Amino acid sequence: MTAPAPIPGLSAIADRYDVLLSDVWGVIHNGRESFPAACEALARWRAERGPVILISNAPRPSAAVHSQLDALGVPRQAWSAFITSGDATRVLLGARAPGPAWAIGPDRDAPLYEGLDLTFAGPDAAAFISVTGPYDDEIEGPEDYRQRFEKAVARRLPMICANPDLVVQRGDRLIYCGGALAELYERLGGEVIMAGKPFAPIYDLCLAEAQLILGRPLDRSRVLCIGDGVPTDARGANNQRLDLLFVASGIHGAETIGPEGLRPEAVEALLAREGAQAAWTMADLAW
């Protein structure tokens, strides 16, 4: 397995690619503030090279997340289109209407269900589970759901998970996401269905959007994925046979960033341990 090559900035490989599929949380913001150098790099790419498609495991439709990016200071010039796990998941949810669904997640994720004609119920009466994350991700984790999940598994309820991420950075903290709950449910013997990264449906949507913007057939060898998560970004790019630029300072930063900055050998070891690979690596996304 070839080790990822460290690069000083996106400009070093700009001539190799026509399209970027960039992760959002951990690459261009941390949930509290945007990263100016990363935003500038994407804006320059879009102006000088081609489309930038943001690909996020946010469990809401992309239109509902635009205002969050604006509030965090991510300029609209930094992206051409935005595709979320919520966009891909709505197709799965709509096929199961009217449910009822046991919806697990915070109130802010309610836009996921708008216009789907779903009904809702608790775990004892639901036909399936839809999870976007813990009800309160500031204090809850997977173990808070174990007893309820054991009962749902006994009822053979399938779970649709709208956010496959296990954890995400919020400021300087890691918080649990829907994928962590889905992982526990699967360990307990439950069926889990996902459409976000690293699974194919979200990539199908992104590549179709990129081709539409390009206005010509897409050459997959000239598509570069950017991400900081091995289970989602790296596996998703690898499954799609797309090149990956691994941003080391995200959720794996404690392992891959040292006092002197990027530790390429640690990035290589991390990816090898997980059976994943990347073509390139940087500490933080920059031009």
Side-chain angles (χ1 to χ4, degrees):
M1 189 175 293
T2 305
I7 57 172
L10 195 55
S11 59
I13 55 172
D15 62 336
R16 296 171 178 256
Y17 302 100
D18 301 323
V19 174
L20 296 184
L21 303 187
S22 178
D23 182 35
V24 179
W25 204 318
V27 173
I28 62 176
H29 73 71
N30 65 5
R32 292 185 178 173
E33 58 188 1
S34 61
F35 305 145
C39 293
E40 180 186 357
L42 295 184
R44 287 197 63 173
W45 178 281
R46 185 184 176 207
E48 300 175 14
R49 294 296 306 164
V52 175
I53 312 298
L54 299 185
I55 175 170
S56 168
N57 271 348
R60 299 176 296 285
S62 54
V65 191
H66 292 174
S67 60
Q68 180 190 34
L69 294 184
D70 294 340
L72 290 169
V74 177
R76 293 283 177 114
Q77 296 92 330
W79 50 277
S80 312
F82 189 13
I83 305 294
T84 65
S85 180
D87 293 326
T89 301
R90 281 174 59 86
V91 178
L92 300 178
L93 294 172
R96 292 179 179 269
W102 173 26
I104 304 172
D107 291 342
R108 66 175 180 271
D109 293 338
L112 176 67
Y113 306 106
E114 290 177 359
L116 291 180
D117 294 324
L118 276 171
T119 60
F120 300 93
D124 294 332
F128 70 96
I129 307 168
S130 174
V131 61
T132 61
Y135 288 118
D136 188 343
D137 55 22
E138 289 289 335
I139 61 173
E140 289 186 324
E143 287 301 318
D144 294 296
Y145 293 82
R146 178 178 288 271
Q147 290 186 346
R148 284 170 285 181
F149 282 178
E150 288 173 342
K151 294 179 181 178
V153 169
R155 291 191 58 220
R156 298 185 178 181
L157 296 186
M159 171 186 283
I160 294 176
C161 177
N163 181 354
D165 285 351
L166 300 175
V167 295
V168 71
Q169 278 185 302
R170 179 173 292 159
D172 57 359
R173 297 175 51 219
L174 293 178
I175 61 169
Y176 286 109
C177 299
L181 274 64
E183 183 179 63
L184 172 60
Y185 195 73
E186 202 163 38
R187 286 205 310 269
L188 293 173
E191 176 191 1
V192 175
I193 306 162
M194 301 191 197
K197 296 179 294 182
F199 302 98
I202 192 170
Y203 289 93
D204 293 342
L205 291 177
C206 286
L207 294 173
E209 186 68 23
Q211 181 163 292
L212 184 65
I213 295 170
L214 278 174
R216 55 179 168 81
L218 188 70
D219 181 351
R220 293 172 69 97
S221 70
R222 296 187 62 83
V223 176
L224 178 66
C225 297
I226 303 174
D228 70 317
V230 174
T232 51
D233 300 307
R235 290 196 185 283
N238 293 170
N239 290 346
Q240 293 293 314
R241 298 186 179 182
L242 301 172
D243 283 356
L244 172 70
L245 166 58
F246 182 76
V247 176
S249 65
I251 60 174
H252 303 289
E255 181 177 353
T256 57
I257 303 294
E260 304 302 319
L262 178 68
R263 299 174 57 220
E265 75 285 353
V267 173
E268 181 181 2
L270 168 68
L271 293 168
R273 187 170 66 244
E274 299 296 329
Q277 58 185 334
W280 321 98
T281 187
M282 299 173 61
D284 299 284
L285 182 62
W287 183 252

